[in-house]
Amino acid sequence: MPGFGDIVKKAFYLGVGLASYAGEKAGGTLTELRSQFQKMADEMVARGEMTTEEARRFVEDMMKQAQQPPTSGTTAETTTPSEPRRIEILEEDEQPTAKATQSDDNVDQLRKQVLELEDELKRLQHDN
């Protein structure tokens, strides 16, 4: 039966091996990303959309962005809120709040704009 020292040694080697494997995978992914960015930049240079200096900076900037951890703003969007979204239930005899009234006004304005645009479109089609 292996001793406690052997178990600790094996656990340590397992951790080192996993870290090495993860590093190799990440390095391979970064190398693949760099080649894709370089290919895209080369195509843009060939089409005359950017200079070689701009292409070099583009590849460097993209690699820097790829190596940065995600910002907290993107993780906040993907996580679920800690409490449910609040909704307002109105009884028939209750008056809507100012926010609901403002929303109704915006909807009415948008409907009016859509009707005006439809009329203008019909007028332009008849003119042609």
Side-chain angles (χ1 to χ4, degrees), residues 1-2 9-11 24-25 43 48 62 65 68-69 75-76 79 83-85 87-88 90 95 104 107 109 119 121 127:
M1 172 168 237
K9 189 186 295 184
K10 288 180 182 180
E24 287 175 14
K25 281 298 221 183
E43 289 175 5
M62 295 304 287
Q65 287 179 6
Q68 291 178 353
T75 56
T79 59
E83 65 180 53
R85 181 178 56 120
I87 58 171
E88 183 177 350
L90 299 176
Q95 294 295 323
D104 290 341
V107 169
Q109 286 178 338
D119 291 341
L121 179 62
D127 289 345

Side-chain angles (χ1 to χ4, degrees), residues 34-53:
R34 178 176 283 282
S35 69
Q36 289 176 357
F37 292 143
Q38 188 65 48
K39 182 179 177 183
M40 187 185 331
D42 290 343
E43 289 175 5
M44 293 175 79
V45 168
R47 289 187 297 214
E49 294 177 2
M50 69 171 48
T51 65
T52 55
E53 181 63 27

Side-chain angles (χ1 to χ4, degrees), residues 112-125:
K112 183 179 175 184
Q113 285 179 346
V114 167
L115 290 173
E116 289 172 359
L117 289 171
E118 285 176 346
D119 291 341
E120 184 177 344
L121 179 62
K122 287 177 186 176
R123 182 183 56 81
L124 288 172
Q125 286 175 340

